[in-house]
Amino acid sequence: MAKVKKTPRPKAETPKGFRDYFGTEVTHRADMLSKIAAVYHRYGFDALESSGVETVQALGKFLPDVDRPNEGVFAWQEDADADKPGDWLALRYDLTAPLARVYAQHQNDLPKPYRRYAMGPVWRNEKPGPGRFRQFYQCDADTVGASSVAADAEICAMLADCLEEVGIERGDYIVRVNNRKVLNGVMEVAGLSGDDKEAERGIVLRAIDKLDRLGVDGVRALLGEGRKDESGDFTKGAGLSEAQADAVMGFVNANAAVLEKLRDEARQLSDEDPAMAGVANAIADAGDVQHLLEREDAISYRSQWNGLVTAHLSELVSESPIGRSGVEELAEIESLLIAGGYEADRIVIDPSVVRGLGYYTGPVFEAELTFEIKDEKGRTRNFGSVAGGGRYDDLVKRFTGQEVPATGVSIGVDRLLAALDAKGRLDKAPSGPVVVTVMDKDRMADYQKMVAELRDADIRAEVYLGNPKNFGNQLKYADKRGSPIAVIEGRDEYEKGVIQIKDLILGAKLAENATLEEYNERPSQYEVPRDQLIARVREILDSQN
């Protein structure tokens, strides 16, 4: 008789590119989502929870790589083996494409404009890497049905408010704003408009989007024949002529050009008026725009900077109607933000912002954290982008056949949490429950009464539900839970009408470095009357915070 093979046990491991979240990680995220939702709500946006699954057709080609439509998603076909297979379905890739479907489906029942926010996980079938997972949270807000760039300006202001609400201090972030129409105008001036130039435009867009990583020289190389990286791999370029590349680089270098113009003017003013020498030095010393706008001795340029950049862009695209329209929209956004108190130290016009997705049609924006961190190899670098968005007037058109104006932003919650962690602004110590220990199994009802009183007083608490035979194990459990207090009531305490309260936080500190004298002067465990349970527990909790 053949030996029956045992069914192998499944491996207890998360799938590649996914991870589990525990305790404070979950509560930190929930707290952040609550704070962001409060800002969205304050701005008048309503909550929407759409399906986590969409048809592949509804998701369309608006995925990370426009050269590979429908790649990058987790998809399957309903009834694939049936005579008539069903629709192809996919886990949602983002929260924007589902919004377009929701608006097209329910537009007769929705207010116009429709302002909604949505939060939840999205899934991308991409190669995972350090800090890059296939499932992550997004936190979006969008306005559908408003053609005015006042909607874009509002999104930028709201994004700045969200960052400050969750604990990113002013000066540690910048919201950068550009307009795809300006870039389209640059393409037109450079002779890159038209369907036959789509491939070249794609390479140019991706090259500009890598400015922070590759620098000016790297971008310039990708505009020409191509670029070889440090590993020797060669990336084919757009093959532009020198004149075409010059036109694009004039756009890419707009910030540097304006900064240099300011330096020249400041030098001239300081020569004419020695009192201007301080400002001239501040501008001369500023390594880039961000450093200039952060300097208190050059603060007067905060209110001027965005206007100077739009004026420079206007010169670059003066021969392009679409480009001029984009500059006018940026100027209007800048005017509205100034009226709301958002100057260039918080929200700045920046032509280097491209945004990689293919559906943006007008203003685009990106929130970048400007402080430095150490990467996994110990190298110093800026933290980088944590949010982005823009105007996408063509997305709903796929469903309705009619253009519907829309604009929105998506905040990367996991990125923001990592940023706060890097700045030391997340409390990593778990805030565990008060643990009521079990000294007598026959008196479980008394312990449950204690824990009910604590919960009624809005104090997180639990009764130890493991094997109570070894009291030391109960305290070890409380330590592992990060519990602040253990409540102890044995037979003797019960008969005397008292309880023992053990301050676990203080006890750990005393055990770590206190002398015997200090230990005796500040006991971490003491006896109190039973009817003082709530008052004494609250007193200890207040002292620990």
Side-chain angles (χ1 to χ4, degrees):
M1 184 176 180
K3 188 175 181 180
V4 178
K5 291 185 178 180
K6 291 184 178 179
T7 303
R9 293 192 181 97
K11 291 183 178 180
E13 60 183 17
T14 53
K16 187 176 181 180
F18 296 84
R19 60 159 297 192
D20 302 310
Y21 297 85
F22 296 90
T24 55
E25 293 178 308
V26 177
T27 54
H28 283 152
R29 179 199 289 147
D31 181 57
M32 176 173 286
L33 291 175
S34 176
K35 290 177 179 177
I36 294 174
V39 176
Y40 287 165
H41 188 75
R42 191 161 69 236
Y43 270 73
F45 288 74
D46 288 330
L48 170 68
E49 186 173 313
S50 62
S51 169
V53 175
E54 296 284 343
T55 65
V56 169
Q57 184 180 18
L59 288 176
K61 69 176 184 179
F62 300 102
L63 298 169
D65 190 342
V66 294
D67 295 333
R68 300 182 302 147
N70 299 336
E71 294 289 340
V73 298
F74 289 99
W76 64 96
Q77 188 176 26
E78 282 194 304
D79 301 322
D81 298 327
D83 292 337
K84 291 184 178 180
D87 292 332
W88 275 92
L89 305 177
L91 294 174
R92 63 188 180 200
Y93 174 85
D94 65 9
L95 298 176
T96 309
L99 170 63
R101 189 268 305 161
V102 167
Y103 183 83
Q105 183 177 350
H106 301 284
Q107 59 182 309
N108 292 334
D109 302 319
L110 296 174
K112 296 180 177 61
Y114 175 51
R115 299 151 66 83
R116 83 88 173 90
Y117 69 87
M119 302 175 177
V122 297
W123 296 267
R124 299 188 181 181
N125 188 10
E126 300 174 340
K127 185 178 180 180
R132 186 181 182 90
F133 297 98
R134 288 169 165 168
Q135 176 181 318
F136 53 93
Y137 265 72
Q138 285 189 337
C139 194
D140 288 18
D142 297 79
T143 298
V144 182
S147 59
S148 169
V149 293
D152 302 280
E154 179 184 62
I155 291 286
C156 292
M158 185 169 67
L159 177 53
D161 287 353
C162 283
L163 294 176
E164 294 181 21
E165 184 71 20
V166 302
I168 303 297
E169 296 176 352
R170 198 172 300 186
D172 278 344
Y173 75 90
I174 194 76
V175 178
R176 305 184 187 279
V177 187
N178 192 16
N179 196 315
R180 290 299 291 268
K181 291 181 181 178
V182 179
L183 183 53
N184 290 341
V186 171
M187 297 289 188
E188 191 172 50
V189 171
L192 293 172
S193 57
D195 293 341
D196 60 326
K197 300 292 183 179
E198 184 176 0
E200 290 91 335
R201 286 199 303 274
I203 297 174
V204 170
L205 289 177
R206 287 190 287 273
I208 297 174
D209 206 22
K210 296 174 182 176
L211 177 63
D212 287 344
R213 183 163 59 87
L214 301 182
V216 172
D217 292 339
V219 173
R220 179 76 188 221
L222 288 175
L223 297 181
E225 294 304 313
R227 174 183 178 271
K228 183 181 289 187
D229 62 22
E230 296 176 356
S231 68
D233 290 339
F234 182 79
T235 302
K236 184 180 178 182
L240 305 187
S241 67
E242 287 294 316
Q244 289 176 311
D246 286 342
V248 174
M249 292 307 297
F251 172 80
V252 172
N253 284 323
N255 283 340
V258 173
L259 187 57
E260 189 57 39
K261 184 177 181 181
L262 283 180
R263 288 191 178 112
D264 291 340
E265 291 179 357
R267 291 189 198 102
Q268 183 177 348
L269 287 173
S270 63
D271 290 341
E272 298 171 358
D273 181 2
M276 292 295 296
V279 175
N281 290 334
I283 297 173
D285 293 341
D288 56 28
V289 176
Q290 187 64 31
H291 291 129
L292 171 65
L293 298 177
E294 289 174 354
R295 290 181 68 106
E296 291 301 320
D297 46 7
I299 194 171
S300 61
Y301 286 98
R302 289 181 184 170
S303 59
Q304 300 180 43
W305 178 262
N306 286 333
L308 293 169
V309 174
T310 53
H312 180 77
L313 293 176
S314 183
E315 296 175 7
L316 293 178
V317 297
S318 60
E319 299 177 9
S320 167
I322 187 70
R324 292 196 301 272
S325 172
V327 172
E328 290 170 2
E329 290 180 357
L330 285 177
E332 185 177 351
I333 289 173
E334 189 258 344
S335 175
L336 293 169
L337 290 171
I338 289 290
Y342 299 84
E343 295 186 349
D345 61 327
R346 302 168 72 187
I347 303 175
V348 64
I349 305 297
D350 187 345
S352 69
V353 177
V354 175
R355 302 295 301 158
L357 296 178
Y359 53 66
Y360 291 121
T361 59
V364 290
F365 19 88
E366 191 167 78
E368 178 186 340
L369 303 188
T370 56
F371 57 81
E372 294 182 338
I373 61 168
K374 298 286 187 181
D375 66 13
E376 62 276 3
K377 296 183 179 179
R379 298 170 298 191
T380 300
R381 62 178 180 85
N382 281 352
F383 191 89
S385 175
V386 293
R391 180 162 287 274
Y392 52 98
D393 290 347
D394 291 339
L395 194 57
V396 179
K397 185 178 180 180
R398 297 174 48 248
F399 296 95
T400 64
Q402 298 175 336
E403 185 175 284
V404 178
T407 186
V409 67
S410 179
I411 297 176
V413 174
D414 298 293
R415 288 276 296 164
L416 261 183
L417 286 170
L420 291 174
D421 187 26
K423 292 290 284 185
R425 295 177 189 164
L426 288 182
D427 180 13
K428 293 188 178 181
S431 179
V434 172
V435 171
V436 175
T437 61
V438 176
M439 304 299 291
D440 186 348
K441 287 194 295 185
D442 295 335
R443 294 185 40 252
M444 184 62 77
D446 293 330
Y447 302 130
Q448 290 289 358
K449 182 179 180 181
M450 276 190 209
V451 86
E453 291 175 16
L454 289 164
R455 291 167 180 164
D456 288 343
D458 201 27
I459 295 171
R460 189 180 181 209
E462 65 173 75
V463 175
Y464 178 73
L465 297 177
N467 186 346
K469 187 174 182 180
N470 188 323
F471 180 70
N473 286 343
Q474 297 194 49
L475 294 183
K476 287 180 181 178
Y477 170 82
D479 285 337
K480 198 164 189 177
R481 291 298 314 275
S483 299
I485 297 169
V487 178
I488 306 163
E489 186 190 62
R491 176 70 61 179
D492 292 343
E493 285 86 5
Y494 175 72
E495 291 176 352
K496 291 164 54 180
V498 299
I499 53 175
Q500 298 284 336
I501 293 184
K502 186 172 182 62
D503 184 335
L504 298 174
I505 305 298
L506 176 59
K509 290 179 180 178
L510 292 174
E512 185 177 335
N513 51 27
T515 65
L516 179 60
E517 183 178 352
E518 290 172 331
Y519 193 90
N520 291 330
E521 287 178 354
R522 297 181 63 196
S524 61
Q525 179 174 326
Y526 46 89
E527 186 177 278
V528 301
R530 168 66 178 83
D531 59 6
Q532 293 185 20
L533 169 66
I534 302 301
R536 291 303 181 93
V537 166
R538 196 180 297 283
E539 182 181 306
I540 294 173
L541 292 176
D542 289 343
S543 70
Q544 293 173 349
N545 293 329

Short mmCIF file of all heavy atoms in Angstrom, two decimals, residues 387-424:
data_model
loop_
_atom_site.label_atom_id
_atom_site.label_comp_id
_atom_site.label_asym_id
_atom_site.label_seq_id
_atom_site.Cartn_x
_atom_site.Cartn_y
_atom_site.Cartn_z
N ALA A 387 3.30 63.93 -1.13
CA ALA A 387 1.94 64.14 -1.65
C ALA A 387 2.04 64.77 -3.03
O ALA A 387 3.04 65.42 -3.36
CB ALA A 387 1.12 65.04 -0.72
N GLY A 388 1.02 64.59 -3.82
CA GLY A 388 1.01 65.20 -5.15
C GLY A 388 -0.37 65.14 -5.76
O GLY A 388 -1.26 64.41 -5.30
N GLY A 389 -0.56 65.92 -6.80
CA GLY A 389 -1.84 65.92 -7.48
C GLY A 389 -1.87 66.93 -8.60
O GLY A 389 -0.82 67.41 -9.04
N GLY A 390 -3.07 67.27 -9.04
CA GLY A 390 -3.19 68.24 -10.11
C GLY A 390 -4.56 68.18 -10.75
O GLY A 390 -5.48 67.50 -10.28
N ARG A 391 -4.68 68.90 -11.86
CA ARG A 391 -5.95 68.98 -12.60
C ARG A 391 -5.98 67.90 -13.67
O ARG A 391 -5.01 67.71 -14.40
CB ARG A 391 -6.09 70.38 -13.21
CG ARG A 391 -7.39 70.57 -14.00
CD ARG A 391 -7.68 72.03 -14.21
NE ARG A 391 -8.15 72.65 -12.97
CZ ARG A 391 -9.41 72.66 -12.56
NH1 ARG A 391 -10.35 72.04 -13.27
NH2 ARG A 391 -9.75 73.24 -11.42
N TYR A 392 -7.13 67.22 -13.76
CA TYR A 392 -7.27 66.12 -14.72
C TYR A 392 -8.63 66.21 -15.40
O TYR A 392 -9.52 65.41 -15.20
CB TYR A 392 -7.06 64.76 -14.04
CG TYR A 392 -7.90 64.53 -12.79
CD1 TYR A 392 -9.09 63.82 -12.85
CD2 TYR A 392 -7.50 65.03 -11.56
CE1 TYR A 392 -9.85 63.60 -11.71
CE2 TYR A 392 -8.26 64.82 -10.42
CZ TYR A 392 -9.43 64.10 -10.51
OH TYR A 392 -10.18 63.90 -9.37
N ASP A 393 -8.79 67.20 -16.26
CA ASP A 393 -10.10 67.49 -16.85
C ASP A 393 -10.59 66.43 -17.83
O ASP A 393 -11.77 66.45 -18.21
CB ASP A 393 -10.04 68.84 -17.58
CG ASP A 393 -9.93 70.01 -16.61
OD1 ASP A 393 -10.14 69.80 -15.40
OD2 ASP A 393 -9.63 71.14 -17.05
N ASP A 394 -9.74 65.51 -18.25
CA ASP A 394 -10.16 64.52 -19.26
C ASP A 394 -10.55 63.17 -18.67
O ASP A 394 -11.02 62.30 -19.41
CB ASP A 394 -9.01 64.28 -20.26
CG ASP A 394 -8.76 65.50 -21.15
OD1 ASP A 394 -9.67 66.33 -21.27
OD2 ASP A 394 -7.65 65.61 -21.70
N LEU A 395 -10.37 62.96 -17.38
CA LEU A 395 -10.53 61.61 -16.84
C LEU A 395 -11.99 61.14 -16.86
O LEU A 395 -12.29 60.02 -17.26
CB LEU A 395 -9.98 61.54 -15.42
CG LEU A 395 -9.78 60.14 -14.85
CD1 LEU A 395 -8.87 59.32 -15.74
CD2 LEU A 395 -9.20 60.20 -13.45
N VAL A 396 -12.92 61.99 -16.43
CA VAL A 396 -14.34 61.59 -16.42
C VAL A 396 -14.87 61.46 -17.83
O VAL A 396 -15.81 60.70 -18.10
CB VAL A 396 -15.16 62.62 -15.61
CG1 VAL A 396 -16.64 62.25 -15.60
CG2 VAL A 396 -14.65 62.70 -14.18
N LYS A 397 -14.26 62.18 -18.77
CA LYS A 397 -14.70 62.17 -20.17
C LYS A 397 -14.70 60.76 -20.74
O LYS A 397 -15.48 60.44 -21.64
CB LYS A 397 -13.79 63.08 -20.98
CG LYS A 397 -14.20 63.26 -22.43
CD LYS A 397 -13.26 64.23 -23.12
CE LYS A 397 -13.64 64.44 -24.58
NZ LYS A 397 -12.71 65.38 -25.25
N ARG A 398 -13.85 59.90 -20.23
CA ARG A 398 -13.79 58.51 -20.71
C ARG A 398 -15.12 57.80 -20.52
O ARG A 398 -15.47 56.89 -21.30
CB ARG A 398 -12.70 57.74 -19.96
CG ARG A 398 -11.30 58.27 -20.19
CD ARG A 398 -10.27 57.58 -19.32
NE ARG A 398 -10.38 56.14 -19.36
CZ ARG A 398 -10.78 55.39 -18.33
NH1 ARG A 398 -11.11 55.95 -17.18
NH2 ARG A 398 -10.85 54.09 -18.43
N PHE A 399 -15.87 58.19 -19.50
CA PHE A 399 -17.15 57.55 -19.21
C PHE A 399 -18.33 58.29 -19.85
O PHE A 399 -19.29 57.66 -20.29
CB PHE A 399 -17.38 57.50 -17.69
CG PHE A 399 -16.39 56.66 -16.95
CD1 PHE A 399 -15.27 57.24 -16.37
CD2 PHE A 399 -16.57 55.29 -16.82
CE1 PHE A 399 -14.35 56.47 -15.67
CE2 PHE A 399 -15.66 54.51 -16.13
CZ PHE A 399 -14.54 55.11 -15.56
N THR A 400 -18.26 59.60 -19.87
CA THR A 400 -19.43 60.41 -20.27
C THR A 400 -19.33 60.95 -21.69
O THR A 400 -20.35 61.35 -22.26
CB THR A 400 -19.59 61.60 -19.31
OG1 THR A 400 -18.45 62.46 -19.44
CG2 THR A 400 -19.72 61.13 -17.88
N GLY A 401 -18.11 61.00 -22.25
CA GLY A 401 -17.94 61.61 -23.56
C GLY A 401 -17.86 63.12 -23.49
O GLY A 401 -17.63 63.79 -24.50
N GLN A 402 -18.06 63.67 -22.29
CA GLN A 402 -18.01 65.12 -22.11
C GLN A 402 -16.90 65.47 -21.12
O GLN A 402 -16.71 64.77 -20.12
CB GLN A 402 -19.35 65.65 -21.57
CG GLN A 402 -20.52 65.39 -22.52
CD GLN A 402 -21.84 65.82 -21.90
OE1 GLN A 402 -21.98 65.89 -20.68
NE2 GLN A 402 -22.82 66.12 -22.75
N GLU A 403 -16.20 66.56 -21.40
CA GLU A 403 -15.13 66.98 -20.50
C GLU A 403 -15.72 67.49 -19.19
O GLU A 403 -16.63 68.31 -19.18
CB GLU A 403 -14.31 68.08 -21.16
CG GLU A 403 -13.10 68.49 -20.35
CD GLU A 403 -12.22 69.49 -21.07
OE1 GLU A 403 -11.49 69.09 -21.98
OE2 GLU A 403 -12.30 70.69 -20.70
N VAL A 404 -15.21 66.98 -18.09
CA VAL A 404 -15.64 67.40 -16.76
C VAL A 404 -14.40 67.87 -16.00
O VAL A 404 -13.49 67.08 -15.75
CB VAL A 404 -16.32 66.25 -15.98
CG1 VAL A 404 -16.71 66.72 -14.58
CG2 VAL A 404 -17.54 65.75 -16.73
N PRO A 405 -14.32 69.14 -15.64
CA PRO A 405 -13.14 69.63 -14.92
C PRO A 405 -13.01 69.00 -13.55
O PRO A 405 -14.00 68.77 -12.86
CB PRO A 405 -13.37 71.14 -14.82
CG PRO A 405 -14.86 71.30 -14.92
CD PRO A 405 -15.33 70.20 -15.83
N ALA A 406 -11.78 68.69 -13.17
CA ALA A 406 -11.54 68.08 -11.86
C ALA A 406 -10.11 68.37 -11.42
O ALA A 406 -9.21 68.50 -12.24
CB ALA A 406 -11.77 66.57 -11.93
N THR A 407 -9.93 68.46 -10.12
CA THR A 407 -8.60 68.64 -9.56
C THR A 407 -8.55 67.98 -8.19
O THR A 407 -9.57 67.88 -7.51
CB THR A 407 -8.24 70.14 -9.45
OG1 THR A 407 -6.87 70.27 -9.03
CG2 THR A 407 -9.13 70.86 -8.46
N GLY A 408 -7.37 67.50 -7.80
CA GLY A 408 -7.29 66.82 -6.51
C GLY A 408 -5.87 66.56 -6.09
O GLY A 408 -4.91 66.83 -6.82
N VAL A 409 -5.74 66.01 -4.88
CA VAL A 409 -4.44 65.73 -4.30
C VAL A 409 -4.49 64.38 -3.61
O VAL A 409 -5.55 63.95 -3.13
CB VAL A 409 -4.02 66.82 -3.30
CG1 VAL A 409 -4.94 66.81 -2.07
CG2 VAL A 409 -2.57 66.68 -2.88
N SER A 410 -3.36 63.69 -3.58
CA SER A 410 -3.23 62.42 -2.88
C SER A 410 -2.05 62.50 -1.93
O SER A 410 -0.94 62.85 -2.34
CB SER A 410 -3.02 61.27 -3.88
OG SER A 410 -2.87 60.04 -3.21
N ILE A 411 -2.31 62.19 -0.66
CA ILE A 411 -1.26 62.22 0.37
C ILE A 411 -0.83 60.79 0.68
O ILE A 411 -1.67 59.93 0.94
CB ILE A 411 -1.77 62.91 1.65
CG1 ILE A 411 -2.12 64.37 1.37
CG2 ILE A 411 -0.74 62.83 2.77
CD1 ILE A 411 -2.73 65.11 2.56
N GLY A 412 0.47 60.56 0.65
CA GLY A 412 1.01 59.24 0.99
C GLY A 412 1.16 59.11 2.50
O GLY A 412 2.13 59.62 3.08
N VAL A 413 0.21 58.47 3.13
CA VAL A 413 0.16 58.41 4.59
C VAL A 413 1.38 57.67 5.15
O VAL A 413 1.99 58.12 6.13
CB VAL A 413 -1.15 57.72 5.05
CG1 VAL A 413 -1.15 57.52 6.56
CG2 VAL A 413 -2.34 58.57 4.64
N ASP A 414 1.76 56.57 4.53
CA ASP A 414 2.90 55.81 5.03
C ASP A 414 4.19 56.62 4.93
O ASP A 414 5.05 56.56 5.81
CB ASP A 414 3.03 54.48 4.27
CG ASP A 414 1.81 53.60 4.46
OD1 ASP A 414 1.60 53.14 5.59
OD2 ASP A 414 1.08 53.38 3.49
N ARG A 415 4.33 57.39 3.86
CA ARG A 415 5.49 58.26 3.71
C ARG A 415 5.51 59.32 4.80
O ARG A 415 6.54 59.64 5.38
CB ARG A 415 5.46 58.94 2.34
CG ARG A 415 5.76 58.02 1.18
CD ARG A 415 7.24 57.85 0.96
NE ARG A 415 7.90 59.09 0.56
CZ ARG A 415 9.21 59.28 0.60
NH1 ARG A 415 10.00 58.31 1.05
NH2 ARG A 415 9.75 60.42 0.20
N LEU A 416 4.34 59.89 5.08
CA LEU A 416 4.26 60.92 6.13
C LEU A 416 4.60 60.34 7.50
O LEU A 416 5.30 60.98 8.30
CB LEU A 416 2.85 61.53 6.16
CG LEU A 416 2.66 62.87 5.45
CD1 LEU A 416 1.23 63.36 5.64
CD2 LEU A 416 3.64 63.91 5.95
N LEU A 417 4.11 59.14 7.78
CA LEU A 417 4.43 58.50 9.05
C LEU A 417 5.92 58.24 9.16
O LEU A 417 6.53 58.45 10.23
CB LEU A 417 3.66 57.19 9.19
CG LEU A 417 2.16 57.32 9.48
CD1 LEU A 417 1.47 55.97 9.36
CD2 LEU A 417 1.93 57.90 10.87
N ALA A 418 6.54 57.80 8.06
CA ALA A 418 7.98 57.58 8.07
C ALA A 418 8.74 58.88 8.31
O ALA A 418 9.76 58.91 8.99
CB ALA A 418 8.42 56.96 6.74
N ALA A 419 8.20 59.99 7.77
CA ALA A 419 8.84 61.29 7.97
C ALA A 419 8.77 61.71 9.43
O ALA A 419 9.76 62.19 10.00
CB ALA A 419 8.16 62.34 7.08
N LEU A 420 7.61 61.56 10.04
CA LEU A 420 7.47 61.93 11.45
C LEU A 420 8.35 61.04 12.33
O LEU A 420 8.92 61.50 13.32
CB LEU A 420 6.00 61.81 11.87
CG LEU A 420 5.06 62.84 11.26
CD1 LEU A 420 3.61 62.53 11.63
CD2 LEU A 420 5.41 64.25 11.72
N ASP A 421 8.46 59.78 11.94
CA ASP A 421 9.34 58.87 12.67
C ASP A 421 10.79 59.33 12.56
O ASP A 421 11.54 59.34 13.54
CB ASP A 421 9.17 57.45 12.12
CG ASP A 421 9.91 56.41 12.94
OD1 ASP A 421 10.15 56.66 14.14
OD2 ASP A 421 10.26 55.36 12.39
N ALA A 422 11.19 59.73 11.34
CA ALA A 422 12.56 60.19 11.12
C ALA A 422 12.87 61.46 11.93
O ALA A 422 14.01 61.69 12.34
CB ALA A 422 12.80 60.45 9.63
N LYS A 423 11.85 62.28 12.16
CA LYS A 423 12.03 63.51 12.94
C LYS A 423 11.86 63.26 14.43
O LYS A 423 11.95 64.20 15.23
CB LYS A 423 11.02 64.57 12.49
CG LYS A 423 11.26 65.10 11.09
CD LYS A 423 12.52 65.95 11.00
CE LYS A 423 12.31 67.33 11.60
NZ LYS A 423 13.50 68.19 11.42
N GLY A 424 11.58 62.02 14.83
CA GLY A 424 11.40 61.70 16.24
C GLY A 424 10.11 62.23 16.82
O GLY A 424 10.03 62.51 18.02
#
